[in-house]
Amino acid sequence: AKFFWDQDRKEPLASKVSLLKGMIFHAKLGSLEKKVDRVQALALVISSNVPDADRHQVQSAARLAKADLVTDMVGEFPELQGVMGRYYALSDGESCAVAEAIADHYAPQGPNDRCPSAPISICVSLADKIDTLVGFWAINEKPTGSRDPYALRRAALGVIRLIVENEIRLPLLAVFEQASRLFGDIGQRFDGDDLMSFFADRLKVHLREEGMRHDLISAG
């Protein structure tokens, strides 16, 4: 581990972003480098709705969020993705807020996972998840029955928790449309109303799990 740590720190984390062009996010949605470009742009859009979110820090965190995927450490220990990004960012002199956002942007990954509450973390985490959802909706790769190979239900629940638990007012449909434009021609096939219906269903499930009465959920 020390060998990987020393090797990875020979160059700053930012220098590794360009290497993401060699990693495919999805065959129809391009490389991880393209995803990082989209997440960076979308996180800046979202930041205007998140109190105390510094735009420069949001941009930095979004740019660096996936960079540790091409480090030797994460290559050997994939479960450390995000965690090592945080350490490398701090080693490079990035702010604590940026480093924490890198570590937090995968969260929450389930109903019992900790939900990020720091402004920069919220912006990057929301942008990453919304980009994924919009992209897979645009290529018609939606969950069917119990089949959800890209964990899109989990991503939607993550968006819901980030918004609800942090009491953020976010115009979701407008954000979806802006995200779809970042996909270029692919995004033209995106159906925002259908994704909103999916979110409404996930919200009902979330509220039931939180113990809300069925008649109140139906009335909403």
Side-chain angles (χ1 to χ4, degrees):
K2 183 180 186 306
F3 172 77
F4 293 140
W5 169 258
D6 291 339
Q7 288 294 112
D8 288 337
R9 289 173 66 235
K10 286 181 178 179
E11 295 179 344
L13 190 62
S15 71
K16 303 182 188 301
V17 176
S18 62
L19 300 178
L20 293 171
K21 64 185 174 187
M23 298 184 74
I24 298 299
F25 170 55
H26 184 277
K28 295 181 180 178
L29 299 174
S31 68
L32 271 176
E33 184 185 42
K34 293 292 185 184
K35 179 175 175 63
V36 166
D37 289 342
R38 294 191 305 268
V39 169
Q40 189 174 357
L42 190 59
L44 285 173
V45 170
I46 292 170
S47 69
S48 62
N49 296 278
V50 178
D52 302 321
D54 178 273
R55 289 176 62 83
H56 178 71
Q57 291 186 330
V58 167
Q59 189 171 18
S60 296
R63 191 71 187 160
L64 298 173
K66 306 288 185 186
D68 69 350
L69 294 176
V70 292
T71 61
D72 290 338
M73 185 75 82
V74 174
E76 186 69 21
F77 305 107
E79 66 274 15
L80 293 179
Q81 57 187 302
V83 175
M84 293 313 303
R86 174 184 179 275
Y87 285 118
Y88 292 136
L90 289 172
S91 177
D92 291 342
E94 296 288 347
S95 70
C96 289
V98 168
E100 293 300 331
I102 294 170
D104 283 347
H105 85 278
Y106 294 108
Q109 297 194 55
N112 300 316
D113 194 22
R114 181 184 64 84
C115 187
S117 58
I120 313 303
S121 299
I122 292 168
C123 294
V124 180
S125 183
L126 281 172
D128 185 43
K129 292 169 177 58
I130 291 172
D131 173 81
T132 294
L133 286 157
V134 169
F136 281 108
W137 243 251
I139 61 173
N140 200 32
E141 289 280 357
K142 309 169 190 174
T144 55
S146 61
R147 187 173 177 274
D148 186 12
Y150 303 111
L152 301 181
R153 292 188 180 98
R154 187 174 70 186
L157 174 61
V159 172
I160 289 168
R161 286 191 60 199
L162 283 159
I163 292 171
V164 172
E165 293 181 27
N166 291 295
E167 300 181 353
I168 294 167
R169 297 185 65 85
L170 187 67
L172 268 181
L173 188 56
V175 173
F176 292 162
E177 294 298 339
Q178 288 173 304
S180 70
R181 287 194 284 273
L182 295 171
F183 281 94
D185 292 341
I186 295 171
Q188 293 177 15
R189 302 194 294 270
F190 170 69
D191 185 343
D193 291 332
D194 186 59
L195 182 54
M196 281 298 291
S197 295
F198 177 74
F199 263 81
D201 291 339
R202 300 316 303 161
L203 178 59
K204 289 176 182 178
V205 171
H206 174 66
L207 292 175
R208 280 199 297 270
E209 291 175 348
E210 290 292 301
M212 184 171 286
R213 283 166 35 197
H214 288 256
D215 56 335
L216 293 178
I217 294 172
S218 299

